[in-house]
Amino acid sequence: MQDLTQLTSAAKQVSDLYARRFGVTRDAAWYLGKMTEELGEVTSAYLSLAGQTRKDGSKSDLENEVADLLGFLLLFADWQGVDAGAAFERKWGAYLTEDK
């Protein structure tokens, strides 16, 4: 299993390829827009899988969209200088230590 640092590095490599291939300028609108777009696609894939749309969905479709959302979240965090793993441990991990 890869850690978030490795996943972020892979996401940056793919993002660099995408930006060169399509002439994309990665700015706030791009990072935020892509995360929003991918969240919509996760929602759509889930609803299709759950039989709540006219289109039949698959678990693979949902997994692919979750992967896209995670990739863009990692890119956004990196762009903003946020260590997503450390932030997660600090924020969510605090709940694990409250009861001890």
Side-chain angles (χ1 to χ4, degrees):
M1 178 190 302
Q2 295 184 349
D3 67 16
L4 288 182
T5 302
Q6 292 170 309
L7 292 174
T8 299
S9 177
K12 287 169 61 175
Q13 290 175 37
V14 172
S15 179
D16 289 345
L17 291 169
Y18 182 90
R20 279 195 304 273
R21 182 176 295 157
F22 298 106
V24 171
T25 299
R26 291 168 286 180
D27 56 10
W30 185 81
Y31 286 103
L32 293 169
K34 291 304 286 184
M35 282 193 304
T36 301
E37 174 188 349
E38 294 304 335
L39 180 56
E41 291 178 5
V42 167
T43 301
S44 179
Y46 169 76
L47 291 173
S48 293
L49 182 61
Q52 296 182 13
T53 65
R54 288 178 275 178
K55 175 187 167 197
D56 288 334
S58 70
K59 183 75 169 203
S60 177
D61 292 339
L62 179 60
E63 291 169 348
N64 288 340
E65 297 307 336
V66 167
D68 287 346
L69 178 59
L70 177 60
F72 282 109
L73 178 60
L74 291 174
L75 289 171
F76 176 80
D78 183 72
W79 176 62
Q80 288 299 299
V82 172
D83 179 335
F88 184 87
E89 287 178 11
R90 181 182 79 317
K91 174 75 173 164
W92 286 54
Y95 294 105
L96 299 175
T97 59
E98 285 181 356
D99 293 336
K100 291 183 180 178

